[in-house]
Amino acid sequence: MSDTAGNGAVLVVGGGISGLTAALEAAEVGNDVFLVEKNSYFGGRVAQLNQYFPKLCPPTCGLEINFKRIKDNRKIRTYSLTTVKSVTGGPGNFEVQLETAPRYINSNCTACGDCGQVCTDEIEDDFNFGMNKIKAAYLPHEMAFPRRYVLAKDACSSTCLDAIKAACKYNAVDLDMQPQTFTLKVSSIIWSTGWNPYAANKISNLNYNSSNAIITNMMMERMAADNGPTKGKILRPGDNKEPASFAFVQCAGSRDENHLQHCSYICCMATFKHISYIREQYPDAKIYVFYIDLRTPGKYEHFREKFMADPNTTFIKGKVADIVAERDGGVSVTAENAVTGTKVHQKVDLCILATGMEPALGEQGKALGVIMDGNGFVVSDAAKGMLSAGCAKSAVDVYTSGQSSTAAALKAIQIGR
């Protein structure tokens, strides 16, 4: 299968907030756009957030508006569960081979949920970072676009699959679905492949897997969300204890030559946002923030000042050396106070690791001819028809992602004209 949209067509790889923005900006000035996403839904990491900072509003409204614009724009063709396999050619004349993985649910799906009702097998919920289990026939999340179920076929018994197929009155279950390979001809490519949370288990001294009381900042984000694993209640995983004390470990994996050398930029702001979540539910809880530097540039300074004035929040300038699991389910955090030179041992009920942002494209990008810097971020090269946007370009917040995506679209539509 091949698809050609003619001169000036743009391929956008990655359907998070950056990819959505770049696709819309390019399409709304008349260019044909192909938008591909490796997940079963569009929206990326933003879809997993509880709130944006600094206004602390939910991301649902922004995503809904963009999804409606995408649906209404005939210039944009979307492909979920799709990855780039090869790129040949050059500016104005790229030929890109892609592959769409089987969803086992076809476009007849109305998201009625009958398949999920009869499904007897479960999988870990990746959207909630494995903090809960869901049926193997599932809607990725409440706002999923496309609003279509996914079937984790390999996780199901034959009896379960038969029940799922029989339950669907729209003939939407296709157990014989195969991967589909196709080719696109485009003039330019925007890489908006986003980021992954750095794997906390790689940071050996923080002992992530030693206790349920050690979680990551994105797990905290999902717990605080109404559609999260705890329906918005911040609880300690495992025993569901309401924590009376919290520790935040900043730069978990960032600014470290053994892990991510770059500053991930938004981790400090995310921690202040998480403090706001805690204060809504636990006004008197003790909070301890261990940091190297607090980076809240420009417009975010006032947001930081508000939470630093909290009398029940203590800020300790010092890198955490160790986290030890305690018998009561909590943990003790050890660090050296860089200001006083004293060692700090602080016991808390829940410890949140502010893990850094790792570019998601990884080694695959080099194989596709993408130029990447020493940290794995994609370097734009308009002369070669390759551009980057959002967190594929650098570690940035949502607002800055929108700016870089618009800039990438402006460059992209000029290529091949």
Side-chain angles (χ1 to χ4, degrees):
M1 171 185 170
S2 98
D3 202 338
T4 303
N7 196 31
V10 180
L11 172 63
V12 180
V13 184
I17 194 68
S18 299
L20 293 169
T21 302
L24 285 163
E25 295 289 354
E28 288 180 354
V29 294
N31 288 67
D32 289 297
V33 176
F34 301 100
L35 175 61
V36 304
E37 166 58 46
K38 67 180 180 181
N39 288 321
S40 59
Y41 60 90
F42 292 86
R45 295 292 173 200
V46 167
Q48 292 175 294
L49 297 180
N50 176 43
Q51 293 177 343
Y52 289 105
F53 50 74
K55 292 185 178 180
L56 301 185
C57 56
T60 50
C61 53
L63 285 176
E64 281 178 342
I65 291 167
N66 280 334
F67 292 156
K68 186 177 187 308
R69 290 167 69 194
I70 293 258
K71 290 176 190 175
D72 291 345
N73 196 313
R74 298 178 65 84
K75 287 284 186 179
I76 302 175
R77 276 169 267 186
T78 59
Y79 304 84
S80 58
L81 285 170
T82 301
T83 52
V84 177
K85 293 300 180 183
S86 67
V87 178
T88 56
N93 190 31
F94 284 111
E95 191 166 288
V96 185
Q97 188 179 66
L98 302 102
E99 182 178 275
T100 300
R103 192 185 193 99
Y104 301 111
I105 305 286
N106 63 36
S107 58
N108 292 343
C109 179
T110 64
C112 69
D114 287 352
C115 58
Q117 290 290 330
V118 301
C119 181
T120 53
D121 293 310
E122 292 185 328
I123 58 172
E124 285 195 348
D125 187 355
D126 289 340
F127 191 76
N128 287 332
F129 298 95
M131 287 188 284
N132 63 299
K133 291 199 170 189
I134 55 174
K135 295 290 187 71
Y138 63 98
L139 192 66
H141 62 93
E142 291 173 353
M143 269 191 64
F145 169 71
R147 191 167 180 79
R148 191 191 307 173
Y149 270 62
V150 183
L151 174 58
K153 180 183 172 183
D154 292 344
C156 295
S157 66
S158 57
T159 303
C160 178
L161 292 175
D162 289 343
I164 289 170
K165 190 166 180 64
C168 182
K169 51 184 171 287
Y170 300 103
N171 198 29
V173 179
D174 182 355
L175 300 179
D176 297 321
M177 196 176 280
Q178 298 294 318
Q180 297 292 319
T181 301
F182 61 103
T183 301
L184 296 176
K185 292 181 180 179
V186 297
S187 291
S188 57
I189 303 173
I190 297 175
W191 298 92
S192 54
T193 42
W195 63 281
N196 291 326
Y198 188 70
N201 58 0
K202 292 182 179 179
I203 315 166
S204 56
N205 64 296
L206 300 184
N207 301 312
Y208 171 66
N209 289 324
S210 68
S211 170
N212 287 327
I214 307 173
I215 65 171
T216 67
N217 47 1
M218 281 302 290
M219 290 169 71
M220 178 72 159
E221 196 72 30
R222 291 308 306 144
M223 268 204 287
D226 288 341
N227 65 343
T230 55
K231 307 302 180 189
K233 189 69 176 173
I234 298 170
L235 303 170
R236 185 164 67 197
D239 61 6
N240 288 330
K241 174 185 170 64
E242 295 188 353
S245 54
F246 299 78
F248 287 90
V249 178
Q250 299 306 110
C251 298
S254 296
R255 302 175 65 190
D256 188 327
E257 62 183 13
N258 297 313
H259 301 287
L260 302 176
Q261 295 186 21
H262 60 273
C263 170
S264 292
Y265 177 71
I266 66 164
C267 307
C268 291
M269 281 302 302
T271 289
F272 284 112
K273 179 176 63 167
H274 293 161
I275 292 172
S276 77
Y277 296 168
I278 292 169
R279 282 292 166 252
E280 287 181 5
Q281 297 184 27
Y282 306 112
D284 300 319
K286 298 293 184 182
I287 300 172
Y288 305 89
V289 181
F290 295 85
Y291 69 97
I292 301 173
D293 299 292
L294 291 175
R295 295 182 171 180
T296 53
K299 58 185 177 294
Y300 297 137
E301 281 295 298
H302 294 303
F303 190 78
R304 175 186 64 82
E305 289 168 358
K306 172 185 173 182
F307 292 104
M308 288 196 76
D310 184 333
N312 281 323
T313 302
T314 303
F315 293 84
I316 301 110
K317 185 175 174 65
K319 195 165 185 177
V320 171
D322 196 16
I323 303 175
V324 177
E326 299 290 356
R327 289 184 178 180
D328 66 355
V331 292
S332 289
V333 180
T334 300
E336 182 177 337
N337 189 317
V339 177
T340 64
T342 58
K343 265 200 172 181
V344 178
H345 301 278
Q346 185 60 56
K347 186 176 179 302
V348 293
D349 291 330
L350 189 64
C351 179
I352 301 97
L353 308 182
T355 50
M357 303 171 75
E358 185 171 31
L361 188 57
E363 292 299 314
Q364 178 200 10
K366 294 178 183 177
L368 296 171
V370 179
I371 302 171
M372 307 171 86
D373 68 16
N375 293 317
F377 292 103
V378 179
V379 178
S380 285
D381 190 340
K384 292 186 177 180
M386 298 268 202
L387 303 157
S388 59
C391 292
K393 184 180 181 71
S394 60
V396 292
D397 58 9
V398 175
Y399 177 79
T400 309
S401 288
Q403 291 179 320
S404 73
S405 301
T406 301
L410 181 61
K411 284 284 189 184
I413 63 177
Q414 297 176 59
I415 297 169
R417 286 187 178 274

